[in-house]
Amino acid sequence: MKTSSEDALQRYSLNGATMGTRYTAIFYAPAGTDTAAIGRSLFAVVDKVDRQMSNWIPESDLCRLNAAPDDSWITVPAELAQVLEAGLAVGRESHGAFDMNVGALVDAWGFGPSGRTLHGAVPQEQPAARSIDTLEVDRIRRQVRKRRPVKLDLCGIAKGYGVDQLAYCLDRWNITRYLVGIDGEMRARGEKPGGEPWAVAVEQPTFGKREVAGVMELNDAAIATSGDYRHWVEIDGKRYAHTIDPRSGQPLSNGLAAVTVLMPTCMLADAWATALMVLGEKDGVALAKEKGIDALFVLREGDQLREVVVAGRLLSDDSGAAG
């Protein structure tokens, strides 16, 4: 039942362009809320992430780090240091299934900023050195050192971090009921007036079109999905997904169509969705259970799809999300 204070809240929706896609923010706030100022703040935080962490912007801090000399400490923004540190942690915990040093591989397969187009030949690019073996991050000093050349790509974690920044932005405006997202990565706080949870559609992993497979209900949780159905290349009639297995240097081919992960932060949900997607059904499900990660695995079996659900901390406690 709504309270009198909830009756005074209005629904607002703001959106804009970022990271080659769009961000959204749906929230409840009192009538007369300065949405223009909030909109400027929201754009500022995602634009900051993009300018720091994009490998599509030549002057970004990430590109500057990629081009920096080896064995020298390079000062980077605090936000970039935080994301690099988190990426290394997920890399270690996933036994290398998540790795940020995949930029050269992504480019080789035509998914990167180089604009390379494949002409019927399957790239034979070799796996790069693991970022957990080549990077040192001193977050307190905001410095990073490379032991050897790298081409870091943060596409598997930066978008989720951007979603978290949208959430923190609304927190600073004392808004406590919201759903924010960039493309399919989302984070929710609180509930709608009346106690209704935030409903987020989970896509059917269908090539070439968007269909809803189901709905997840979020409350103080984040959701991210990694899949093979959004971006791919076709060579000699075979599809190659845009997610690269850093261990083999090749696009994924493990039977998984998608992995959706629920976590308290979208940055970690984003990175772990990628890691579990790379690990595949057997190892991915096992590691999700070991780590207490809430995850939905969708497998392709011929023309059919099969789901495997791992109920981790959020779903087991029934405190963060429900399907």
Side-chain angles (χ1 to χ4, degrees), residues 5-310:
S5 60
E6 289 177 333
D7 285 330
L9 297 178
Q10 291 190 6
R11 182 184 185 276
Y12 297 93
S13 179
L14 301 173
N15 65 84
T18 189
M19 303 182 192
T21 182
R22 298 191 69 79
Y23 67 88
T24 59
I26 301 169
F27 58 92
Y28 287 86
T33 294
D34 189 351
T35 56
I38 294 175
R40 289 191 293 271
S41 298
L42 291 169
F43 174 76
V45 296
V46 290
D47 185 57
K48 185 177 184 180
V49 173
D50 201 19
R51 286 185 287 105
Q52 287 187 14
M53 304 182 198
S54 174
N55 57 343
W56 293 77
I57 300 175
E59 62 273 17
S60 73
D61 295 284
L62 178 66
C63 288
R64 180 172 61 85
L65 176 61
N66 281 337
D70 301 339
D71 293 319
S72 297
W73 285 102
I74 308 301
T75 300
V76 299
E79 297 86 354
L80 178 55
Q82 179 184 357
V83 170
L84 292 174
E85 184 180 67
L88 291 176
V90 176
R92 285 188 291 268
E93 292 181 36
S94 66
H95 313 296
F98 180 83
D99 199 288
M100 298 173 289
N101 191 22
V102 292
L105 297 169
V106 170
D107 268 347
W109 281 90
F111 299 115
S114 68
R116 177 178 179 179
T117 302
L118 302 182
H119 299 287
V122 175
Q124 300 300 317
E125 199 81 13
Q126 296 300 306
R130 300 188 307 174
S131 56
I132 55 177
D133 296 329
T134 59
L135 282 185
E136 295 178 75
V137 178
D138 187 330
R139 188 174 167 189
I140 295 176
R141 295 170 55 216
R142 297 187 296 110
Q143 292 192 323
V144 180
R145 180 165 64 181
K146 307 180 299 182
R147 297 190 184 95
R148 64 189 77 178
V150 297
K151 192 168 185 179
L152 302 174
D153 183 322
L154 301 183
C155 289
I157 191 170
K159 189 185 296 183
Y161 181 78
V163 173
D164 290 334
Q165 297 311 299
L166 291 172
Y168 301 146
C169 177
L170 292 183
D171 290 343
R172 291 191 291 272
W173 283 94
N174 296 317
I175 294 171
T176 59
R177 301 173 185 268
Y178 58 71
L179 177 68
V180 294
I182 299 176
D183 205 2
E185 327 297 5
M186 313 289 290
R187 179 168 171 169
R189 180 180 177 189
E191 301 170 327
K192 298 179 184 179
E196 183 182 356
W198 296 97
V200 175
V202 178
E203 281 191 303
Q204 188 87 349
T206 304
F207 293 106
K209 59 182 178 179
R210 291 195 167 185
E211 299 176 326
V212 175
V215 174
M216 299 291 288
E217 295 178 345
L218 297 186
N219 183 339
D220 295 329
I223 186 170
T225 298
S226 179
D228 68 354
Y229 55 95
R230 283 281 192 89
H231 306 290
W232 69 88
V233 294
E234 191 168 313
I235 303 174
D236 293 333
K238 182 178 179 180
R239 285 195 183 100
Y240 294 87
H242 78 287
T243 301
I244 304 294
D245 185 337
R247 303 165 303 177
S248 68
Q250 300 294 304
L252 293 185
S253 181
N254 59 15
L256 277 183
V259 178
T260 297
V261 168
L262 298 173
M263 279 197 155
T265 72
C266 204
M267 174 180 69
L268 290 179
D270 195 7
W272 274 108
T274 300
L276 297 179
M277 183 78 185
V278 169
L279 286 168
E281 179 190 9
K282 181 181 177 181
D283 293 339
V285 168
L287 189 59
K289 290 179 178 178
E290 177 187 329
K291 298 291 184 183
I293 297 172
D294 299 277
L296 168 65
F297 295 78
V298 182
L299 295 95
R300 296 192 191 280
E301 297 181 339
D303 295 331
Q304 303 299 312
L305 297 172
R306 177 168 62 89
E307 295 184 352
V308 177
V309 177
V310 177

